[in-house]
Amino acid sequence: MKISRKTGLLLLGILLVIIDQISKYLVKTNMSLGEQIPVIGQWFRLCFVENEGMAFGMKFGGAVGKFCLSLLRICLCGFLIWWINKLAASRETPAGALVGLTMITAGAMGNIIDCLFYGIIWDYAPFMFGKVVDMLYFPIIRDGARVIFFSPVFNFADSCVTCGAFYLIFFQWKFFSTTADKNEKVVNNGRSRS
């Protein structure tokens, strides 16, 4: 039985979201907030933190900002799902471009689930005001006890977004630049006929 491209992408997206949510659940139920567990000495640690805002703990305008940020994330995720579906219908779209976009979308969806439901599930905030669970800490360059490069704590969903984005930039840029050129030619042809 052959699986269609759309089904394969859906299964990949679901798998990535499940891995993300399981890792967050395990950290949330087995670690205390702020607790750190060394995995590879001081270079890789599990460090349980909760992120209220955007990437790297940045906040955005209090309660109204949090609501707007959650709403924006939902809209962007919906757009990505629509776009992947549209691209998957064309045989000209390389599988790599679809996988990269699916990774980004799954990562976004994993963090959206935290924002929407974790406040209700763990009984600390209303719908759309939950905190994102982060746990992966790689203080890469250190000066004694002080981290001088890459101190953010992140999660599997963040990794999906970052790896998917870098993959698209480094390996699929040709597809997206060709698609942009085709769209520009179509627009210009439409203007010249008017």
Side-chain angles (χ1 to χ4, degrees):
M1 180 177 87
K2 187 176 178 184
I3 296 176
S4 71
R5 285 166 62 134
K6 289 181 183 181
T7 303
L9 293 169
L10 178 64
L11 292 174
L12 173 63
I14 290 170
L15 175 66
L16 294 175
V17 171
I18 288 171
I19 291 169
D20 174 63
Q21 290 301 305
I22 288 173
S23 67
K24 290 172 179 174
Y25 176 80
L26 289 172
V27 165
K28 189 97 171 135
T29 57
N30 292 295
M31 293 178 70
S32 303
L33 193 60
E35 182 181 353
Q36 295 188 29
I37 299 172
V39 178
I40 302 175
Q42 295 299 314
W43 302 103
F44 170 39
R45 289 179 261 172
L46 293 178
C47 178
F48 176 24
V49 298
E50 292 182 318
N51 180 351
E52 290 184 43
M54 301 184 294
F56 310 121
M58 294 183 288
K59 294 183 182 178
F60 179 70
V64 172
K66 175 73 172 171
F67 177 80
C68 291
L69 182 62
S70 294
L71 202 56
L72 177 66
R73 285 174 171 161
I74 293 166
C75 291
L76 287 173
C77 201
F79 169 76
L80 284 170
I81 291 168
W82 170 82
W83 193 29
I84 291 167
N85 195 41
K86 183 179 176 189
L87 289 174
S90 170
R91 284 282 161 208
E92 293 179 15
T93 306
L98 295 170
V99 168
L101 288 170
T102 300
M103 289 175 67
I104 292 169
T105 306
M109 186 65 72
N111 285 336
I112 287 170
I113 291 169
D114 293 20
C115 290
L116 295 183
F117 302 111
Y118 273 30
I120 296 168
I121 293 169
W122 303 104
D123 196 28
Y124 66 82
F127 181 68
M128 292 182 80
F129 288 89
K131 298 174 186 175
V132 175
V133 174
D134 291 329
M135 77 290 291
L136 303 174
Y137 184 41
F138 292 88
I140 296 172
I141 299 175
R142 305 172 57 82
D143 178 18
R146 186 172 63 103
V147 177
I148 56 175
F149 179 72
F150 203 76
S151 61
V153 180
F154 57 98
N155 58 41
F156 183 78
D158 298 332
S159 300
C160 289
V161 171
T162 303
C163 292
F166 279 126
Y167 176 76
L168 292 177
I169 290 167
F170 291 120
F171 300 105
Q172 297 298 324
W173 62 270
K174 199 171 201 173
F175 166 73
F176 289 104
S177 64
T178 305
T179 303
D181 290 343
K182 285 179 186 176
N183 290 340
E184 188 176 328
K185 286 178 185 175
V186 168
V187 169
N188 289 336
N189 286 339
R191 285 182 187 158
S192 63
R193 288 179 190 152
S194 304

